[in-house]
Amino acid sequence: MVGRGNKPSALAATPGLAPQPTVTFSSDNSRVTAELPTGESVEILLYGATVISWKDSKGDEKLWVSSAAKLDGTKAVRGGIPLVFPVFGPPPASGHPTSSLPQHGFARTSVWEFLGKSTSESNPTSGDASGSANAADLSVKLDFGLSAASLTAEVRELWPYKFNLIYSVTLNRENLTTSLVVTNDDDKPFESQVLLHTYLRVNDISSVSISGLASSTYIDKVANASVGTQTADTLSIASETDRVYTTPNGASDVVTVSEGGKTRYTVARDNLLNVVVWNPWTEKAAGMGDFEPKEGYKNMLCIEPGSVGTWQTLEPGDAFEGAQTITIPL
């Protein structure tokens, strides 16, 4: 379990093998860090299973986290990759099973269990016949779990369904994959929504363009939930933006974030039909107590794959799986 006292401080590589990914725990067992031999790293807070850092081999951070974010388990983290389940945004009006839950549900404010790690290695890249670990495509996968039994009695009363969530974070040299499997362990169906609330770091939001959303319909939350269609090939951010896109080709449409005309990130989805694009801009950022610095909106962009356009109904024993892969140019 999360709090066991004899948890090792590090899971080291087997002696005699080429350098392998390492997994370490913080002294209070509140977070897990994985690092590849080539220097890439990812850090996950067990509170919410929130990814709070993803760095490339040079140590450059790819995720934006507010300097005022609470990382002590007292509040959902502002930044990184919070998990949204079983409801996206403010819950619907009274009468829906999620109506008593807080905004974005309880997954991001629950303590998850670390289930373990696994590593893989493919053939060395062409041009390097040494077979060294630096030339190989190493990856490390971290698994986390949350079930109804893990919730507080208060939350179980608000949403009294038996469920199981498995969240996997996979790091390799050029990308980060996060996937969530939702299983209905109850004897009755339930409805839910899933979203990966990803805060990408950028240098200057005014130089950013987003492609891959052309011809998508969207709900514009800034404009009273009006419905529109993305007619331009690219989207730029110049004011508060909060849109829920449904891409015309489903999850096969890849979203690309460019900055200064160069690709910064590509976001591929698996079974997540919606993409939320969010930036709070000046006034909204100023009104959020945990958003710091207030000028931070210039350095972040939320591209959030999810299944939130409607409700996913899971029958007893059924499962839903969705994933995103964020790729950076090497």
Side-chain angles (χ1 to χ4, degrees):
M1 297 297 290
V2 169
R4 63 182 184 270
N6 295 325
K7 181 183 288 182
S9 59
L11 302 179
T14 303
L17 293 179
Q20 296 290 303
T22 59
V23 177
T24 58
F25 300 85
S26 61
S27 59
D28 61 357
N29 288 336
S30 68
R31 60 186 71 182
V32 185
T33 301
E35 184 173 355
L36 300 183
T38 43
E40 296 83 359
S41 66
V42 64
E43 185 175 6
I44 301 97
L45 197 67
L46 291 182
Y47 181 77
T50 307
V51 181
I52 56 174
S53 176
W54 169 34
K55 295 179 180 179
D56 64 17
S57 60
K58 298 177 181 178
D60 293 333
E61 181 62 64
K62 303 305 176 186
L63 301 177
W64 185 89
V65 176
S66 167
S67 61
K70 300 294 185 182
L71 304 180
D72 59 359
T74 60
K75 185 179 181 181
V77 177
R78 172 70 65 187
I81 311 180
L83 285 171
V84 172
F85 175 87
V87 59
F88 168 62
S94 178
H96 194 272
T98 63
S99 61
S100 298
L101 291 174
Q103 174 163 304
H104 290 335
F106 53 75
R108 65 182 187 148
T109 54
S110 298
V111 178
W112 291 59
E113 181 180 1
F114 177 63
L115 301 178
K117 69 149 188 174
S118 58
T119 61
S120 64
E121 179 180 342
S122 68
N123 293 327
T125 55
S126 59
D128 187 337
S130 66
S132 67
N134 286 343
D137 183 14
L138 290 173
S139 68
V140 58
K141 182 166 76 79
L142 308 177
D143 293 323
F144 304 85
L146 182 72
S147 66
S150 308
L151 302 179
T152 65
E154 178 184 7
V155 174
R156 286 199 302 271
E157 185 174 345
L158 296 177
W159 202 70
Y161 295 97
K162 295 179 182 178
F163 68 92
N164 187 53
L165 304 181
I166 301 294
Y167 184 53
S168 299
V169 179
T170 304
L171 171 71
N172 66 31
R173 293 204 63 195
E174 64 179 2
N175 57 48
L176 184 75
T177 298
T178 61
S179 64
L180 183 67
V181 179
V182 182
T183 304
N184 183 354
D185 290 338
D186 215 310
D187 58 5
K188 53 186 177 293
F190 63 69
E191 294 181 325
S192 65
Q193 296 174 326
V194 168
L195 183 99
L196 304 170
H197 199 318
T198 308
Y199 289 71
L200 297 174
R201 178 178 288 273
V202 298
N203 292 322
D204 181 2
I205 191 65
S206 67
S207 299
V208 169
S209 63
I210 307 160
S211 58
L213 298 173
S215 302
S216 300
T217 58
Y218 62 84
I219 298 172
D220 193 337
K221 293 190 171 184
V222 176
N224 298 315
S226 61
V227 177
T229 300
Q230 179 71 31
T231 55
D233 290 338
T234 60
L235 171 69
S236 298
I237 307 297
S239 61
E240 181 185 351
T241 303
D242 191 356
R243 294 179 176 181
V244 182
Y245 283 88
T246 302
T247 49
N249 299 308
S252 63
D253 287 318
V254 175
V255 177
T256 299
V257 177
S258 300
E259 187 167 4
K262 296 182 179 180
T263 297
R264 182 104 189 233
Y265 306 99
T266 59
V267 182
R269 295 166 289 142
D270 184 4
N271 204 33
L272 297 175
L273 303 182
N274 305 115
V275 178
V276 177
V277 178
W278 182 72
N279 183 290
W281 212 250
T282 310
E283 292 185 15
K284 186 96 171 184
M288 293 187 289
D290 61 351
F291 194 100
E292 293 288 350
K294 296 306 179 187
E295 296 285 298
Y297 71 89
K298 297 178 180 179
N299 307 119
M300 54 75 62
L301 172 67
C302 282
I303 300 293
E304 313 166 30
S307 179
V308 297
T310 184
W311 294 91
Q312 288 286 339
T313 300
L314 284 184
E315 298 295 332
D318 283 352
F320 171 85
E321 181 174 5
Q324 69 169 347
T325 297
I326 312 168
T327 301
I328 55 176
L330 286 179

